[in-house]
Amino acid sequence: MKKILSMLSLVALIGFAATPVSYAEETVTETVTVEETVTQDAAPAAEAPAAEAAPAAAAAAAPTLDVGNTAFMIVATVLVILMTIPGLALFYGGLVRQKNMLSVLMQIFVVFSMISVLWAAYGYSLAFSEGNMIIGGLSKAFLSGITVDSLSGTIPEYVFLTFQMIFAALTPGLIVGGFAERMKFSAVLLFTALWVTFAYIPIAHMVWGGGYLASLGAKDFAGGTVVHINAGVAALIGAMMLGKRIGYGKEAMPPHSLVMTMIGASLLWVGWFGFNVGSELAADAVAGMVLINTQLATAAAVIGWIFAEWLFRGKPSMLGAASGAVAGLVAITPACGFIGPMGSIILGFTASFVSLWGVTKLKGALGYDDSLDVFGVHGLAGIWGAVGTGVLMAPGLGGVGYAEGVTMGGQVSTQIIAVVVTLIWTGIVSVILYKVVDAVVGLRVSEEYEREGLDTTEHGERAYSL
């Protein structure tokens, strides 16, 4: 354990070494030349009003704190925390077997905490400060230069960076579902610290930090590429590289508590409004549109999933309804600020079929053991939502329309490029990092530990006393 804690302390240094950008932005100073001798008679009378107007115009253009937007964003940030702990933790915990319940809770809880600290150390700076097309710089490392007076638009920069921090801390928690019930706790911590540094942060910068995908005009309102496709691919690769759970396909491995899963799914649904609506960064009309879009897409996906189960399996299930809700939430995430309410219903309803196909037909055909179907739900619904955004943005379909000179075909092509870049970047980085972690601490617990369960073998505790 001392060994892994020592290695984690080096992650910040690894992140610092990864960027080609200088450690501090250049300071630009404005030089004002004042004539030594100016007589009142020499100054034209007309210049006095102009001189007085210039400071007034500058003051009017300067950003000012908006109390309403600030309060709104604080609430949104807390809602995203709620969807992670306890929401995601309970959703995943209910899906695993009883002997591994505590291990999943522990992984998500500690990963959430660790990434929060790394985000303050260097993550925020690398994602959101000026840099190149792939990564930012380190001018704001350890939150350097940020004070209580610093603003990001109309809200305090501390609020903005905390909101983005929770996104970064949530995303690797999603990956846990891909290798649940068989990965060492030390390996989980080391992998997620490295993955956030080399996969999440670059994609976040490329999409939201003024990088490559932003320059192309890719649309991702709240994290279809940055969060869901990103995590889905990493989870799929992890599931493949670790191999199947012992007994997978031969022994029954049902969720140990669908009640817990339903509670978790409900908390995800509630918290997701902070995730999506908060991404507007203001309490305005667009936020209202995002609110209704998120609700309708999620509800439509629930109906779509249980309808498909009823049709093809004969019975609708609680697990299906919960899975449908998450699929709808994922699909609407990139699109929620760009499409209309009717478009959100279409997107959510169709996403449920895409994800259901992914967790049944695709998973069966390829034979991988993605324990909690992270790729099938988050990966595929994220891809569907990202591409569907380009179509449903059309004004004729109730969307907000395209930028000047951009057609539906052009926007869809840009969305596909964003998806492909995310798939390739995250895929390559994840493979490398899993191999590195395997070489350093090993990825998988022993067969004996896996059969006994990770709750006792990794943490010396049980989720339940009986």
Side-chain angles (χ1 to χ4, degrees), residues 170-231:
L170 160 70
T171 304
L174 298 174
I175 303 173
V176 166
F179 46 65
E181 302 193 294
R182 59 197 188 278
M183 192 165 173
K184 292 180 179 179
F185 183 62
S186 58
V188 171
L189 296 186
L190 182 56
F191 172 79
T192 53
L194 293 171
W195 185 85
V196 167
T197 303
F198 295 104
Y200 179 88
I201 290 173
I203 296 296
H205 180 76
M206 283 191 266
V207 175
W208 294 332
Y212 173 65
L213 296 177
S215 69
L216 292 181
K219 304 297 182 184
D220 185 355
F221 194 82
T225 51
V226 179
V227 176
H228 299 291
I229 301 175
N230 217 0

Tab-separated table of all heavy atoms in Angstrom, residues 170-231:
chain	number	residue	atom	x	y	z
A	170	LEU	N	-16.226	12.560	-11.531
A	170	LEU	CA	-17.295	11.614	-11.857
A	170	LEU	C	-16.884	10.639	-12.958
A	170	LEU	O	-17.161	9.434	-12.878
A	170	LEU	CB	-18.540	12.387	-12.303
A	170	LEU	CG	-19.597	11.623	-13.118
A	170	LEU	CD1	-20.296	10.605	-12.238
A	170	LEU	CD2	-20.604	12.580	-13.736
A	171	THR	N	-16.227	11.127	-13.987
A	171	THR	CA	-15.993	10.333	-15.195
A	171	THR	C	-15.231	9.038	-14.935
A	171	THR	O	-15.660	7.968	-15.411
A	171	THR	CB	-15.274	11.181	-16.258
A	171	THR	OG1	-16.051	12.365	-16.501
A	171	THR	CG2	-15.124	10.416	-17.560
A	172	PRO	N	-14.104	9.040	-14.215
A	172	PRO	CA	-13.440	7.751	-13.961
A	172	PRO	C	-14.260	6.819	-13.084
A	172	PRO	O	-14.073	5.596	-13.123
A	172	PRO	CB	-12.129	8.157	-13.272
A	172	PRO	CG	-12.386	9.505	-12.702
A	172	PRO	CD	-13.336	10.166	-13.666
A	173	GLY	N	-15.202	7.382	-12.301
A	173	GLY	CA	-16.106	6.536	-11.538
A	173	GLY	C	-16.974	5.683	-12.449
A	173	GLY	O	-17.313	4.539	-12.118
A	174	LEU	N	-17.329	6.224	-13.614
A	174	LEU	CA	-18.100	5.453	-14.581
A	174	LEU	C	-17.310	4.241	-15.070
A	174	LEU	O	-17.868	3.164	-15.296
A	174	LEU	CB	-18.479	6.327	-15.779
A	174	LEU	CG	-19.374	7.539	-15.512
A	174	LEU	CD1	-19.535	8.371	-16.784
A	174	LEU	CD2	-20.733	7.110	-14.990
A	175	ILE	N	-16.012	4.403	-15.245
A	175	ILE	CA	-15.171	3.335	-15.776
A	175	ILE	C	-15.163	2.126	-14.852
A	175	ILE	O	-15.032	0.980	-15.296
A	175	ILE	CB	-13.729	3.843	-15.996
A	175	ILE	CG1	-13.727	5.061	-16.924
A	175	ILE	CG2	-12.838	2.749	-16.584
A	175	ILE	CD1	-12.363	5.733	-17.054
A	176	VAL	N	-15.315	2.366	-13.565
A	176	VAL	CA	-15.294	1.290	-12.573
A	176	VAL	C	-16.250	0.158	-12.956
A	176	VAL	O	-15.969	-1.022	-12.719
A	176	VAL	CB	-15.639	1.855	-11.178
A	176	VAL	CG1	-15.971	0.747	-10.190
A	176	VAL	CG2	-14.485	2.709	-10.659
A	177	GLY	N	-17.375	0.498	-13.562
A	177	GLY	CA	-18.347	-0.522	-13.927
A	177	GLY	C	-17.854	-1.521	-14.954
A	177	GLY	O	-18.372	-2.641	-15.044
A	178	GLY	N	-16.841	-1.162	-15.727
A	178	GLY	CA	-16.335	-2.072	-16.751
A	178	GLY	C	-15.521	-3.215	-16.183
A	178	GLY	O	-15.550	-4.334	-16.694
A	179	PHE	N	-14.773	-2.957	-15.106
A	179	PHE	CA	-13.922	-4.004	-14.532
A	179	PHE	C	-14.331	-4.357	-13.108
A	179	PHE	O	-13.539	-4.903	-12.332
A	179	PHE	CB	-12.451	-3.579	-14.555
A	179	PHE	CG	-12.176	-2.173	-14.081
A	179	PHE	CD1	-12.425	-1.798	-12.766
A	179	PHE	CD2	-11.649	-1.229	-14.951
A	179	PHE	CE1	-12.161	-0.511	-12.328
A	179	PHE	CE2	-11.373	0.068	-14.519
A	179	PHE	CZ	-11.625	0.426	-13.204
A	180	ALA	N	-15.567	-4.059	-12.730
A	180	ALA	CA	-16.046	-4.319	-11.379
A	180	ALA	C	-15.900	-5.791	-11.024
A	180	ALA	O	-16.002	-6.671	-11.869
A	180	ALA	CB	-17.513	-3.905	-11.254
A	181	GLU	N	-15.628	-6.039	-9.767
A	181	GLU	CA	-15.561	-7.370	-9.142
A	181	GLU	C	-14.262	-8.136	-9.408
A	181	GLU	O	-14.160	-9.294	-9.021
A	181	GLU	CB	-16.758	-8.245	-9.564
A	181	GLU	CG	-18.111	-7.641	-9.221
A	181	GLU	CD	-19.248	-8.621	-9.339
A	181	GLU	OE1	-19.530	-9.067	-10.466
A	181	GLU	OE2	-19.845	-8.956	-8.295
A	182	ARG	N	-13.259	-7.492	-10.039
A	182	ARG	CA	-12.040	-8.262	-10.294
A	182	ARG	C	-10.753	-7.445	-10.348
A	182	ARG	O	-9.680	-8.009	-10.554
A	182	ARG	CB	-12.168	-9.067	-11.584
A	182	ARG	CG	-12.429	-8.220	-12.843
A	182	ARG	CD	-12.951	-9.141	-13.935
A	182	ARG	NE	-13.099	-8.572	-15.255
A	182	ARG	CZ	-14.149	-7.851	-15.651
A	182	ARG	NH1	-15.121	-7.573	-14.794
A	182	ARG	NH2	-14.240	-7.410	-16.885
A	183	MET	N	-10.774	-6.146	-10.162
A	183	MET	CA	-9.571	-5.331	-10.260
A	183	MET	C	-9.085	-4.901	-8.886
A	183	MET	O	-9.885	-4.578	-8.006
A	183	MET	CB	-9.834	-4.094	-11.123
A	183	MET	CG	-8.589	-3.325	-11.526
A	183	MET	SD	-8.968	-2.159	-12.869
A	183	MET	CE	-7.423	-1.266	-13.006
A	184	LYS	N	-7.774	-4.917	-8.689
A	184	LYS	CA	-7.178	-4.504	-7.432
A	184	LYS	C	-7.510	-3.040	-7.136
A	184	LYS	O	-7.532	-2.205	-8.045
A	184	LYS	CB	-5.656	-4.651	-7.487
A	184	LYS	CG	-5.141	-6.069	-7.565
A	184	LYS	CD	-3.610	-6.061	-7.612
A	184	LYS	CE	-3.030	-7.446	-7.675
A	184	LYS	NZ	-1.547	-7.414	-7.754
A	185	PHE	N	-7.705	-2.742	-5.862
A	185	PHE	CA	-7.999	-1.370	-5.470
A	185	PHE	C	-6.822	-0.452	-5.791
A	185	PHE	O	-6.997	0.671	-6.263
A	185	PHE	CB	-8.316	-1.323	-3.969
A	185	PHE	CG	-8.714	0.034	-3.471
A	185	PHE	CD1	-9.852	0.666	-3.951
A	185	PHE	CD2	-7.948	0.689	-2.514
A	185	PHE	CE1	-10.227	1.918	-3.490
A	185	PHE	CE2	-8.317	1.937	-2.039
A	185	PHE	CZ	-9.459	2.554	-2.527
A	186	SER	N	-5.607	-0.922	-5.553
A	186	SER	CA	-4.428	-0.119	-5.863
A	186	SER	C	-4.344	0.173	-7.356
A	186	SER	O	-3.986	1.276	-7.775
A	186	SER	CB	-3.157	-0.838	-5.406
A	186	SER	OG	-3.042	-2.115	-6.009
A	187	ALA	N	-4.694	-0.814	-8.177
A	187	ALA	CA	-4.668	-0.631	-9.631
A	187	ALA	C	-5.731	0.358	-10.079
A	187	ALA	O	-5.509	1.160	-10.993
A	187	ALA	CB	-4.862	-1.975	-10.340
A	188	VAL	N	-6.901	0.311	-9.437
A	188	VAL	CA	-7.975	1.252	-9.767
A	188	VAL	C	-7.506	2.687	-9.524
A	188	VAL	O	-7.686	3.574	-10.370
A	188	VAL	CB	-9.240	0.965	-8.928
A	188	VAL	CG1	-10.279	2.075	-9.120
A	188	VAL	CG2	-9.846	-0.376	-9.312
A	189	LEU	N	-6.876	2.920	-8.387
A	189	LEU	CA	-6.435	4.274	-8.064
A	189	LEU	C	-5.352	4.759	-9.014
A	189	LEU	O	-5.412	5.892	-9.518
A	189	LEU	CB	-5.927	4.326	-6.623
A	189	LEU	CG	-6.941	4.045	-5.517
A	189	LEU	CD1	-6.305	4.276	-4.149
A	189	LEU	CD2	-8.192	4.900	-5.666
A	190	LEU	N	-4.352	3.923	-9.272
A	190	LEU	CA	-3.269	4.338	-10.145
A	190	LEU	C	-3.758	4.557	-11.570
A	190	LEU	O	-3.408	5.558	-12.208
A	190	LEU	CB	-2.149	3.297	-10.126
A	190	LEU	CG	-0.912	3.623	-10.960
A	190	LEU	CD1	-0.317	4.981	-10.551
A	190	LEU	CD2	0.134	2.519	-10.829
A	191	PHE	N	-4.594	3.635	-12.067
A	191	PHE	CA	-5.095	3.787	-13.437
A	191	PHE	C	-5.918	5.050	-13.589
A	191	PHE	O	-5.740	5.810	-14.552
A	191	PHE	CB	-5.926	2.578	-13.859
A	191	PHE	CG	-6.612	2.776	-15.182
A	191	PHE	CD1	-5.910	2.634	-16.373
A	191	PHE	CD2	-7.951	3.152	-15.245
A	191	PHE	CE1	-6.526	2.858	-17.593
A	191	PHE	CE2	-8.575	3.376	-16.469
A	191	PHE	CZ	-7.857	3.232	-17.646
A	192	THR	N	-6.847	5.304	-12.669
A	192	THR	CA	-7.731	6.452	-12.835
A	192	THR	C	-6.968	7.774	-12.720
A	192	THR	O	-7.282	8.736	-13.428
A	192	THR	CB	-8.886	6.424	-11.816
A	192	THR	OG1	-8.354	6.279	-10.493
A	192	THR	CG2	-9.825	5.271	-12.094
A	193	ALA	N	-5.962	7.825	-11.842
A	193	ALA	CA	-5.159	9.048	-11.743
A	193	ALA	C	-4.439	9.323	-13.055
A	193	ALA	O	-4.419	10.461	-13.554
A	193	ALA	CB	-4.152	8.917	-10.601
A	194	LEU	N	-3.839	8.289	-13.633
A	194	LEU	CA	-3.138	8.443	-14.908
A	194	LEU	C	-4.111	8.715	-16.049
A	194	LEU	O	-3.842	9.536	-16.934
A	194	LEU	CB	-2.313	7.185	-15.205
A	194	LEU	CG	-1.134	6.918	-14.264
A	194	LEU	CD1	-0.545	5.535	-14.524
A	194	LEU	CD2	-0.069	7.992	-14.409
A	195	TRP	N	-5.251	8.046	-16.027
A	195	TRP	CA	-6.221	8.188	-17.124
A	195	TRP	C	-6.802	9.599	-17.179
A	195	TRP	O	-6.951	10.179	-18.249
A	195	TRP	CB	-7.341	7.161	-16.978
A	195	TRP	CG	-8.310	7.171	-18.119
A	195	TRP	CD1	-8.200	6.510	-19.311
A	195	TRP	CD2	-9.539	7.909	-18.181
A	195	TRP	NE1	-9.288	6.791	-20.104
A	195	TRP	CE2	-10.118	7.641	-19.440
A	195	TRP	CE3	-10.205	8.761	-17.298
A	195	TRP	CZ2	-11.339	8.205	-19.838
A	195	TRP	CZ3	-11.417	9.320	-17.696
A	195	TRP	CH2	-11.963	9.043	-18.944
A	196	VAL	N	-7.133	10.152	-16.032
A	196	VAL	CA	-7.632	11.526	-16.012
A	196	VAL	C	-6.576	12.476	-16.562
A	196	VAL	O	-6.886	13.422	-17.296
A	196	VAL	CB	-8.065	11.931	-14.593
A	196	VAL	CG1	-8.277	13.437	-14.489
A	196	VAL	CG2	-9.344	11.203	-14.197
A	197	THR	N	-5.317	12.220	-16.223
A	197	THR	CA	-4.235	13.088	-16.673
A	197	THR	C	-4.032	13.032	-18.179
A	197	THR	O	-3.901	14.073	-18.843
A	197	THR	CB	-2.912	12.697	-15.974
A	197	THR	OG1	-3.087	12.778	-14.556
A	197	THR	CG2	-1.774	13.616	-16.397
A	198	PHE	N	-4.032	11.828	-18.741
A	198	PHE	CA	-3.643	11.667	-20.139
A	198	PHE	C	-4.808	11.434	-21.106
A	198	PHE	O	-4.615	11.485	-22.321
A	198	PHE	CB	-2.639	10.517	-20.266
A	198	PHE	CG	-1.340	10.790	-19.571
A	198	PHE	CD1	-1.046	10.185	-18.358
A	198	PHE	CD2	-0.422	11.678	-20.105
A	198	PHE	CE1	0.151	10.452	-17.708
A	198	PHE	CE2	0.772	11.952	-19.459
A	198	PHE	CZ	1.062	11.337	-18.256
A	199	ALA	N	-6.003	11.178	-20.594
A	199	ALA	CA	-7.163	10.966	-21.474
A	199	ALA	C	-8.234	12.023	-21.250
A	199	ALA	O	-8.624	12.737	-22.175
A	199	ALA	CB	-7.739	9.564	-21.273
A	200	TYR	N	-8.721	12.141	-20.005
A	200	TYR	CA	-9.818	13.073	-19.756
A	200	TYR	C	-9.414	14.519	-20.009
A	200	TYR	O	-10.115	15.263	-20.708
A	200	TYR	CB	-10.335	12.930	-18.317
A	200	TYR	CG	-11.463	13.891	-18.009
A	200	TYR	CD1	-12.779	13.532	-18.279
A	200	TYR	CD2	-11.225	15.168	-17.495
A	200	TYR	CE1	-13.824	14.414	-18.031
A	200	TYR	CE2	-12.255	16.045	-17.244
A	200	TYR	CZ	-13.553	15.672	-17.522
A	200	TYR	OH	-14.574	16.561	-17.290
A	201	ILE	N	-8.310	14.944	-19.424
A	201	ILE	CA	-7.913	16.353	-19.510
A	201	ILE	C	-7.678	16.796	-20.958
A	201	ILE	O	-8.173	17.854	-21.369
A	201	ILE	CB	-6.691	16.631	-18.617
A	201	ILE	CG1	-7.105	16.533	-17.142
A	201	ILE	CG2	-6.085	17.994	-18.907
A	201	ILE	CD1	-5.951	16.613	-16.168
A	202	PRO	N	-6.950	16.036	-21.787
A	202	PRO	CA	-6.780	16.470	-23.186
A	202	PRO	C	-8.099	16.569	-23.952
A	202	PRO	O	-8.309	17.510	-24.721
A	202	PRO	CB	-5.864	15.395	-23.778
A	202	PRO	CG	-5.109	14.872	-22.617
A	202	PRO	CD	-6.088	14.883	-21.478
A	203	ILE	N	-8.998	15.595	-23.767
A	203	ILE	CA	-10.282	15.662	-24.470
A	203	ILE	C	-11.093	16.856	-23.980
A	203	ILE	O	-11.721	17.578	-24.772
A	203	ILE	CB	-11.086	14.355	-24.277
A	203	ILE	CG1	-10.354	13.165	-24.907
A	203	ILE	CG2	-12.482	14.487	-24.889
A	203	ILE	CD1	-10.201	13.247	-26.415
A	204	ALA	N	-11.086	17.109	-22.673
A	204	ALA	CA	-11.795	18.275	-22.132
A	204	ALA	C	-11.242	19.563	-22.728
A	204	ALA	O	-12.004	20.481	-23.073
A	204	ALA	CB	-11.685	18.302	-20.607
A	205	HIS	N	-9.927	19.650	-22.853
A	205	HIS	CA	-9.328	20.856	-23.444
A	205	HIS	C	-9.695	20.975	-24.918
A	205	HIS	O	-10.008	22.073	-25.405
A	205	HIS	CB	-7.807	20.819	-23.283
A	205	HIS	CG	-7.127	22.025	-23.855
A	205	HIS	ND1	-7.127	23.254	-23.224
A	205	HIS	CD2	-6.451	22.214	-25.021
A	205	HIS	CE1	-6.471	24.130	-23.966
A	205	HIS	NE2	-6.053	23.531	-25.063
A	206	MET	N	-9.663	19.860	-25.635
A	206	MET	CA	-9.979	19.898	-27.066
A	206	MET	C	-11.421	20.325	-27.324
A	206	MET	O	-11.713	20.990	-28.321
A	206	MET	CB	-9.707	18.533	-27.706
A	206	MET	CG	-8.241	18.246	-27.969
A	206	MET	SD	-7.995	16.775	-29.006
A	206	MET	CE	-7.773	15.528	-27.747
A	207	VAL	N	-12.326	19.956	-26.427
A	207	VAL	CA	-13.753	20.251	-26.628
A	207	VAL	C	-14.166	21.554	-25.953
A	207	VAL	O	-14.834	22.396	-26.558
A	207	VAL	CB	-14.619	19.085	-26.103
A	207	VAL	CG1	-16.112	19.433	-26.202
A	207	VAL	CG2	-14.328	17.813	-26.880
A	208	TRP	N	-13.793	21.753	-24.705
A	208	TRP	CA	-14.277	22.887	-23.921
A	208	TRP	C	-13.225	23.949	-23.639
A	208	TRP	O	-13.563	25.057	-23.227
A	208	TRP	CB	-14.830	22.403	-22.574
A	208	TRP	CG	-16.058	21.566	-22.680
A	208	TRP	CD1	-17.005	21.618	-23.661
A	208	TRP	CD2	-16.489	20.555	-21.759
A	208	TRP	NE1	-17.999	20.692	-23.416
A	208	TRP	CE2	-17.710	20.034	-22.248
A	208	TRP	CE3	-15.965	20.046	-20.580
A	208	TRP	CZ2	-18.407	19.027	-21.585
A	208	TRP	CZ3	-16.656	19.042	-19.919
A	208	TRP	CH2	-17.862	18.542	-20.416
A	209	GLY	N	-11.962	23.627	-23.847
A	209	GLY	CA	-10.907	24.556	-23.491
A	209	GLY	C	-10.322	25.319	-24.652
A	209	GLY	O	-9.250	25.911	-24.530
A	210	GLY	N	-11.035	25.326	-25.789
A	210	GLY	CA	-10.559	26.057	-26.962
A	210	GLY	C	-9.583	25.284	-27.820
A	210	GLY	O	-8.876	25.868	-28.638
A	211	GLY	N	-9.553	23.948	-27.684
A	211	GLY	CA	-8.638	23.119	-28.442
A	211	GLY	C	-9.153	22.701	-29.805
A	211	GLY	O	-10.038	23.334	-30.388
A	212	TYR	N	-8.621	21.603	-30.300
A	212	TYR	CA	-8.826	21.158	-31.684
A	212	TYR	C	-10.296	20.967	-32.051
A	212	TYR	O	-10.772	21.496	-33.064
A	212	TYR	CB	-8.053	19.862	-31.911
A	212	TYR	CG	-8.333	19.219	-33.250
A	212	TYR	CD1	-7.983	19.848	-34.444
A	212	TYR	CD2	-8.950	17.968	-33.318
A	212	TYR	CE1	-8.258	19.258	-35.673
A	212	TYR	CE2	-9.213	17.378	-34.538
A	212	TYR	CZ	-8.864	18.016	-35.710
A	212	TYR	OH	-9.141	17.423	-36.919
A	213	LEU	N	-11.037	20.216	-31.262
A	213	LEU	CA	-12.431	19.920	-31.607
A	213	LEU	C	-13.313	21.156	-31.506
A	213	LEU	O	-14.250	21.320	-32.289
A	213	LEU	CB	-12.956	18.792	-30.723
A	213	LEU	CG	-12.248	17.445	-30.915
A	213	LEU	CD1	-12.782	16.402	-29.937
A	213	LEU	CD2	-12.409	16.951	-32.353
A	214	ALA	N	-13.007	22.029	-30.569
A	214	ALA	CA	-13.740	23.298	-30.473
A	214	ALA	C	-13.511	24.128	-31.729
A	214	ALA	O	-14.440	24.769	-32.240
A	214	ALA	CB	-13.311	24.064	-29.232
A	215	SER	N	-12.275	24.120	-32.241
A	215	SER	CA	-11.964	24.909	-33.442
A	215	SER	C	-12.686	24.382	-34.673
A	215	SER	O	-12.954	25.129	-35.609
A	215	SER	CB	-10.452	24.924	-33.687
A	215	SER	OG	-9.989	23.641	-34.076
A	216	LEU	N	-13.027	23.093	-34.659
A	216	LEU	CA	-13.772	22.513	-35.784
A	216	LEU	C	-15.251	22.863	-35.733
A	216	LEU	O	-15.958	22.717	-36.732
A	216	LEU	CB	-13.621	20.989	-35.781
A	216	LEU	CG	-12.241	20.401	-36.082
A	216	LEU	CD1	-12.320	18.875	-36.060
A	216	LEU	CD2	-11.715	20.889	-37.421
A	217	GLY	N	-15.729	23.262	-34.560
A	217	GLY	CA	-17.142	23.560	-34.379
A	217	GLY	C	-17.941	22.392	-33.838
A	217	GLY	O	-19.172	22.356	-33.962
A	218	ALA	N	-17.268	21.419	-33.209
A	218	ALA	CA	-17.966	20.271	-32.622
A	218	ALA	C	-18.852	20.751	-31.463
A	218	ALA	O	-18.466	21.610	-30.682
A	218	ALA	CB	-16.963	19.243	-32.129
A	219	LYS	N	-20.040	20.166	-31.353
A	219	LYS	CA	-20.996	20.549	-30.323
A	219	LYS	C	-21.099	19.447	-29.267
A	219	LYS	O	-21.428	18.309	-29.572
A	219	LYS	CB	-22.380	20.800	-30.939
A	219	LYS	CG	-22.399	21.841	-32.048
A	219	LYS	CD	-21.983	23.210	-31.550
A	219	LYS	CE	-22.053	24.258	-32.649
A	219	LYS	NZ	-21.559	25.577	-32.198
A	220	ASP	N	-20.785	19.792	-28.046
A	220	ASP	CA	-20.916	18.880	-26.911
A	220	ASP	C	-21.290	19.725	-25.712
A	220	ASP	O	-20.429	20.254	-25.018
A	220	ASP	CB	-19.610	18.120	-26.675
A	220	ASP	CG	-19.758	17.065	-25.584
A	220	ASP	OD1	-20.827	16.998	-24.955
A	220	ASP	OD2	-18.793	16.304	-25.365
A	221	PHE	N	-22.575	19.863	-25.468
A	221	PHE	CA	-23.044	20.815	-24.475
A	221	PHE	C	-22.596	20.459	-23.062
A	221	PHE	O	-22.163	21.328	-22.306
A	221	PHE	CB	-24.574	20.926	-24.521
A	221	PHE	CG	-25.116	22.107	-23.772
A	221	PHE	CD1	-25.141	23.365	-24.363
A	221	PHE	CD2	-25.585	21.986	-22.474
A	221	PHE	CE1	-25.626	24.474	-23.674
A	221	PHE	CE2	-26.076	23.076	-21.777
A	221	PHE	CZ	-26.091	24.325	-22.377
A	222	ALA	N	-22.718	19.163	-22.701
A	222	ALA	CA	-22.437	18.816	-21.303
A	222	ALA	C	-21.599	17.552	-21.131
A	222	ALA	O	-21.474	17.061	-20.007
A	222	ALA	CB	-23.751	18.664	-20.534
A	223	GLY	N	-21.019	16.995	-22.204
A	223	GLY	CA	-20.068	15.908	-21.981
A	223	GLY	C	-20.309	14.600	-22.697
A	223	GLY	O	-19.865	13.558	-22.197
A	224	GLY	N	-20.949	14.596	-23.852
A	224	GLY	CA	-21.122	13.348	-24.590
A	224	GLY	C	-19.797	12.712	-24.959
A	224	GLY	O	-19.583	11.508	-24.763
A	225	THR	N	-18.880	13.513	-25.486
A	225	THR	CA	-17.552	13.008	-25.830
A	225	THR	C	-16.637	13.011	-24.616
A	225	THR	O	-15.975	12.022	-24.308
A	225	THR	CB	-16.914	13.859	-26.945
A	225	THR	OG1	-16.977	15.242	-26.575
A	225	THR	CG2	-17.609	13.653	-28.272
A	226	VAL	N	-16.606	14.131	-23.915
A	226	VAL	CA	-15.654	14.310	-22.812
A	226	VAL	C	-15.887	13.289	-21.699
A	226	VAL	O	-14.927	12.732	-21.142
A	226	VAL	CB	-15.760	15.734	-22.238
A	226	VAL	CG1	-14.793	15.915	-21.071
A	226	VAL	CG2	-15.486	16.773	-23.312
A	227	VAL	N	-17.134	13.023	-21.364
A	227	VAL	CA	-17.449	12.152	-20.237
A	227	VAL	C	-17.822	10.741	-20.695
A	227	VAL	O	-17.153	9.764	-20.349
A	227	VAL	CB	-18.593	12.752	-19.388
A	227	VAL	CG1	-18.998	11.801	-18.265
A	227	VAL	CG2	-18.172	14.098	-18.808
A	228	HIS	N	-18.867	10.609	-21.487
A	228	HIS	CA	-19.481	9.294	-21.686
A	228	HIS	C	-18.775	8.424	-22.718
A	228	HIS	O	-18.518	7.242	-22.456
A	228	HIS	CB	-20.957	9.481	-22.016
A	228	HIS	CG	-21.702	10.154	-20.915
A	228	HIS	ND1	-21.939	9.548	-19.701
A	228	HIS	CD2	-22.222	11.406	-20.807
A	228	HIS	CE1	-22.573	10.380	-18.908
A	228	HIS	NE2	-22.764	11.522	-19.556
A	229	ILE	N	-18.461	8.948	-23.887
A	229	ILE	CA	-17.701	8.144	-24.843
A	229	ILE	C	-16.324	7.859	-24.275
A	229	ILE	O	-15.803	6.736	-24.368
A	229	ILE	CB	-17.597	8.863	-26.201
A	229	ILE	CG1	-18.992	9.124	-26.779
A	229	ILE	CG2	-16.771	8.040	-27.186
A	229	ILE	CD1	-18.988	9.947	-28.058
A	230	ASN	N	-15.731	8.850	-23.683
A	230	ASN	CA	-14.416	8.738	-23.054
A	230	ASN	C	-14.384	7.587	-22.048
A	230	ASN	O	-13.535	6.691	-22.105
A	230	ASN	CB	-14.101	10.063	-22.359
A	230	ASN	CG	-12.641	10.458	-22.449
A	230	ASN	OD1	-11.822	9.760	-23.028
A	230	ASN	ND2	-12.304	11.583	-21.858
A	231	ALA	N	-15.322	7.604	-21.103
A	231	ALA	CA	-15.375	6.568	-20.068
A	231	ALA	C	-15.783	5.223	-20.639
A	231	ALA	O	-15.264	4.176	-20.231
A	231	ALA	CB	-16.349	6.989	-18.970
